[in-house]
Amino acid sequence: MATDTMRAVQKPSAAPGAKLITAPIPQPKRDEVLIRVRAATICGTDLHIYKWDPWAQSRFKAPMIFGHELAGDVVEVGSDVTMVKVGDFVSAETHIVCGYCYQCRTGAAHICRNVEIIGVDRPGCFAEYIAVPAVNVWRNDPSMPPALAAAQEPFGNAVHTALATNLTTRNVLVTGCGPIGLFAVGIAHAAGAKQIFATDINPKRLEMARTMGATHALDSRDDVVHHVLAATDGEGVDVLLEMSGHPSAIDQGFRSLRYGGFASLLGLPPNGLPDFDLANHVVFKGATVYGVSGRKMFETWYQTQALVAGNKVDLRPIITHHLPLEEFETAFELMLRGEAAKVALYPHGLDGAW
C-alpha cells in the first residue's frame, strides 16, 4: 500500500450520528483477504446504528466502523488463502459462522449460534478497505456495476424469503415496500406469480413496486384485505411475504392469506406482537409459517447470481442515489426521510457509478 491509513465512517460513541475518520488499513489474517471497496450500499441495520435506537444500543459496541453491503477488488490475500486471488472482483456474505455448532454441522449455517456480522460485531465496509474471511467471499463478473454487486447481499434476504416456497402462477402479497420488499416484488414477477399485491404508505415506494412488477400497489391504510379478497374470488393470497415488521401490516397480511397458505416472514416487529391472533391467523387457517434469517449459505447466493447477473431482476430502479463516502450524512438523511430507497456510497469516488 502507498499509505497505511484509510478514510472510514465510524460510529464513534454511544449516541446518534457517525463520523468520517482516518483509520489504519486492516491487515488480513492468514485466512482473510483485503478488499479495496468500490461501493457499499446502506441497509436498514445501518440506519438503526446511525439513529442509535434501542436495537443498536443493545447490539452494537462503539467505537467501530460499520456497514456490511460491499463490492470491491481483492488487493491482498492471507498465507492460507488459495481459492481467491488478487484482482478478483468480489462481494461478501456478511455472516461469519463458527463451523462447529449444531446448525453449522447440519446445513443451517445461516442461523449459526455463534455468528458474527460484518459491520455489527466486527469492523465494516463504510471504508476504503476491509478485511474479511476468504470463505465469505463471493466472486462476481468483472463487468457487474459495483452498486449492483454490493446490493446482492440484501437482495439475498429477499431471495431467501420469496423462494422459500413456489411462487409460479400463485397470488402473492408483499407487505412493506422498503428495498427488500421491492426486491421481493421483482423476484415474484420473475418467478411468474399470477398476481402480486404490494402494500406500503409511501406513494414513491408504491410506484417503485409497480415498476418492479406489482399488479396491485395498495396503500396499507386502506382496506387491503377487502381488495385482496375481491381480486382472488374471496380466497386470499397463496403466499404472504412479510417485509415490514409493522404489527398492522402483519395482521393485514395474515387476514389476506388463504386457508392453507404460506407465510414467509422477514420483517422484525420492534416490540413483538402482543395482539397477534395466532389461533385464527395460523392454527385454524392451517397456515405454514417460515421465519427468515439472512441468506442460506451459499444456496441463496447461487440463486441471487442467477437472478441478478442473469438479468431476471433489475435492481437499478431501487438503488436511487449514488454518493461519495464523505457525503454519508446526506445519504442517511435521504433514507430516513423516505426520499431514497437504496443509497450506494463510493469510498474512492463516483467513477464506478452508473
Side-chain angles (χ1 to χ4, degrees), residues 20-316:
L20 188 69
I21 65 165
T22 299
I25 293 175
Q27 299 299 306
K29 298 176 182 177
R30 295 174 59 181
D31 62 347
E32 294 182 337
V33 302
L34 182 66
I35 300 169
R36 181 182 184 271
V37 179
R38 283 205 229 169
T41 47
I42 297 176
C43 172
T45 299
D46 304 320
L47 289 179
H48 290 302
I49 295 169
Y50 186 80
K51 291 188 298 183
W52 200 240
D53 65 12
W55 176 87
Q57 293 171 31
S58 69
R59 187 73 169 77
F60 187 91
K61 292 181 172 56
M64 190 166 68
I65 299 164
F66 62 116
H68 59 274
E69 301 173 0
L70 69 118
D73 303 300
V74 175
V75 293
E76 187 178 342
V77 300
S79 59
D80 291 348
V81 176
T82 59
M83 298 300 291
V84 183
K85 65 182 185 302
V86 171
D88 284 345
F89 176 48
V90 300
S91 301
E93 164 58 51
T94 53
H95 291 177
I96 298 172
V97 300
C98 70
Y100 57 79
C101 70
Y102 179 87
Q103 287 71 25
C104 284
R105 288 186 168 188
T106 55
H110 63 289
I111 48 173
C112 169
R113 296 292 298 275
N114 304 300
V115 68
E116 287 190 346
I117 301 174
I118 293 171
V120 177
D121 301 303
R122 54 181 280 159
C125 66
F126 291 156
E128 293 182 299
Y129 295 90
I130 184 173
V132 302
V135 71
N136 283 67
V137 163
W138 181 265
R139 282 190 293 248
N140 300 308
D141 185 319
S143 67
M144 180 180 282
L148 287 188
Q152 289 177 110
E153 195 268 2
F155 181 74
N157 287 338
V159 171
H160 185 183
T161 307
L163 298 188
T165 190
N166 178 34
L167 303 181
T168 305
T169 72
R170 307 183 88 183
N171 292 313
V172 178
L173 169 61
V174 179
T175 48
C177 291
I180 299 180
L182 292 168
F183 290 153
V185 171
I187 295 162
H189 179 68
K194 180 181 179 181
Q195 295 185 94
I196 304 169
F197 303 85
T199 65
D200 204 281
I201 62 171
N202 186 319
K204 291 182 180 178
R205 291 188 173 181
L206 290 173
E207 186 56 40
M208 282 192 277
R210 294 185 187 95
T211 299
M212 297 302 291
T215 54
H216 306 262
L218 308 173
D219 190 317
S220 56
R221 293 167 294 193
D222 295 337
D223 193 344
V224 169
V225 179
H226 174 79
H227 188 101
V228 169
L229 292 176
T232 58
D233 296 324
E235 289 293 338
V237 293
D238 303 292
V239 180
L240 165 64
L241 306 178
E242 207 304 297
M243 306 298 199
S244 72
H246 195 284
S248 64
I250 294 170
D251 180 70
Q252 275 183 346
F254 275 93
R255 285 193 290 124
S256 301
L257 186 67
R258 70 164 171 80
Y259 281 73
F262 187 100
S264 194
L265 310 183
L266 181 71
L268 299 176
N271 299 305
L273 293 173
D275 298 322
F276 184 74
D277 189 352
L278 181 66
N280 288 307
H281 286 346
V282 178
V283 179
F284 295 140
K285 270 195 171 178
T288 299
V289 179
Y290 180 73
V292 179
S293 179
R295 297 146 301 281
K296 290 185 177 180
M297 300 167 59
F298 280 81
E299 176 185 345
T300 301
W301 280 91
Y302 287 101
Q303 294 169 322
T304 292
Q305 182 184 60
L307 290 167
V308 178
N311 297 314
K312 306 297 184 185
V313 180
D314 185 4
L315 309 188
R316 294 170 193 263

Side-chain angles (χ1 to χ4, degrees), residues 47 50-51 331-340:
L47 289 179
Y50 186 80
K51 291 188 298 183
F332 278 105
E333 291 306 315
L334 283 168
M335 293 188 70
L336 288 170
R337 293 197 301 265
E339 297 175 15

